[in-house]
């Protein structure tokens, strides 16, 4: 089932159902990509036609942000909750360790990936990590890109967590569907959260839909435009959408 938020198609799905579906794809080594959609992603997709096609073309688009889930609930999809990147990644690591599915991490820095590997190996000793790769902060040549694809495919990974940030990670995944034999999931800042290099908001703020405020206060110079400008656009668009539904 799919709902729409600011015209962007978002899957109506629970965290457990999303993880089960992804794991099924991963076991079959199916080439798919999953987008984790917060307010920033939704606004960008509603304003950028090419990016909107990438989100609409994903095999699963989850309601990452509390505001996105709230709009779905108020659009008739009662009970919809967040299916956010860091939590989905953690659940999939737990399930992959149990089901013997290999994972791969692509993005972030080498230092963060090393910390991430240490944490995951400690919490999930039976988890097989096929590889961790920090790409350069520049476009790859065709030969470099082909080498990345070969490394991921030869690793045997069924799930590739992609932490390149929005909108780069979604564009990367879309361009590699059909070439990488795994489920690609854009998880944003999840690598930093799980590695411990960035502190996540307290649980009460996550439950209250205030995780964005915590991140804004933690990194105001980098995130002020994303959260203040984009959230304002989102609120206006959501109000218009819900007003049309009620009328």
């Amino acid at each position: 089932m799919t709902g729409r938020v600011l015209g962007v198609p978002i899957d109506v799905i629970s965290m457990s159902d999303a993880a089960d579906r992804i794991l099924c794809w991963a076991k079959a080594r199916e080439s798919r990509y999953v987008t984790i959609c917060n307010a920033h992603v939704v606004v960008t997709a509603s304003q950028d036609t090419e990016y909107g096609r990438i989100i609409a073309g994903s095999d699963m688009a989850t309601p990452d942000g509390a505001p996105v889930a709230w709009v779905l609930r108020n659009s008739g999809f009662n009970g919809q909750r967040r299916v956010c990147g860091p939590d989905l990644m953690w659940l999939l690591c737990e399930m992959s360790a149990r089901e013997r599915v290999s994972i791969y991490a692509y993005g972030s820095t080498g230092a963060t990936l090393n910390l991430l590997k240490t944490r995951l190996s400690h919490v999930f000793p039976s988890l097989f990590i096929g590889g961790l790769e920090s790409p350069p902060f520049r476009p790859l040549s065709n030969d470099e890109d082909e080498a990345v694809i070969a490394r991921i495919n030869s690793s045997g990974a069924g799930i590739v967590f992609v932490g390149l940030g929005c909108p780069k990670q979604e564009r990367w995944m879309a361009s590699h569907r059909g070439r990488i034999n795994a489920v690609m999931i854009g998880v944003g800042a999840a690598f930093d959260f799980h590695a411990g290099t960035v502190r996540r908001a307290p649980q009460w703020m996550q439950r209250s839909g205030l995780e964005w405020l915590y991140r804004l206060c933690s990194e105001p110079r980098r995130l002020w435009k994303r959260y203040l400008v984009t959230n304002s656009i989102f609120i206006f668009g959501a109000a218009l959408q819900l007003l049309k539904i009620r009328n």
Side-chain angles (χ1 to χ4, degrees):
M1 189 182 300
T2 303
R4 286 189 174 269
V5 179
L6 275 63
V8 179
I10 305 293
D11 282 279
V12 176
I13 195 167
S14 68
M15 178 75 74
S16 60
D17 286 347
D20 286 341
R21 189 181 302 176
I22 290 168
L23 200 66
C24 183
W25 292 338
K27 288 179 178 179
R29 297 290 303 279
E30 295 185 22
S31 184
R32 297 178 180 267
Y33 73 92
V34 176
T35 54
I36 311 296
C37 303
N38 56 21
H40 176 62
V41 170
V42 167
V43 169
T44 305
S46 70
Q47 296 179 333
D48 183 320
T49 303
E50 179 198 358
Y51 187 68
R53 282 196 294 265
I54 289 172
I55 301 302
S58 62
D59 295 281
M60 184 189 298
T62 75
D64 172 68
V68 178
W70 180 83
V71 172
L72 287 175
R73 287 197 301 275
N74 285 274
S75 298
F77 301 103
N78 297 328
Q80 180 61 55
R81 292 290 179 263
R82 295 180 67 195
V83 181
C84 64
D87 293 341
L88 182 60
M89 177 181 171
W90 198 253
L91 176 58
L92 283 169
C93 285
E94 178 185 347
M95 295 172 69
S96 295
R98 185 170 62 246
E99 299 291 332
R100 307 302 294 170
V101 172
S102 174
I103 69 163
Y104 200 102
Y106 184 81
S108 194
T109 65
T112 296
L113 291 178
N114 286 335
L115 291 170
L116 178 65
K117 182 178 181 180
T118 299
R119 175 101 190 277
L120 291 178
S121 298
H122 175 72
V123 178
F124 309 113
S126 59
L127 177 64
F128 185 76
I129 301 174
L132 302 100
E133 185 165 348
S134 174
F137 291 96
R138 59 168 174 77
L140 300 182
S141 68
N142 289 336
D143 287 345
E144 288 174 324
D145 190 50
E146 289 298 327
V148 168
I149 294 169
R151 283 193 293 273
I152 294 175
N153 287 339
S154 64
S155 74
I159 297 174
V160 179
F161 295 113
V162 184
L164 298 175
C166 166
K168 185 178 179 180
Q169 63 192 15
E170 289 78 26
R171 292 190 172 118
W172 186 89
M173 292 189 298
S175 69
H176 288 79
R177 182 166 59 183
R179 304 166 69 196
I180 288 178
N181 304 322
V183 184
M184 297 165 280
I185 310 172
V187 293
F191 292 174
D192 291 309
F193 291 148
H194 296 319
T197 56
V198 174
R199 182 174 295 180
R200 196 173 176 190
Q203 283 291 329
W204 71 267
M205 295 189 80
Q206 295 179 41
R207 289 192 299 269
S208 303
L210 296 174
E211 190 165 11
W212 67 271
L213 180 60
Y214 182 88
R215 291 198 66 197
L216 175 61
C217 292
S218 301
E219 302 178 81
R221 189 170 296 180
R222 186 174 74 87
L223 296 175
W224 74 270
K225 185 175 182 180
R226 172 185 294 190
Y227 287 121
L228 295 185
V229 177
T230 303
N231 279 15
S232 298
I233 296 171
F234 181 88
I235 291 169
F236 180 74
L240 287 180
Q241 176 177 329
L242 297 179
L243 186 61
K244 288 179 182 178
I245 290 172
R246 288 170 185 174
N247 287 339

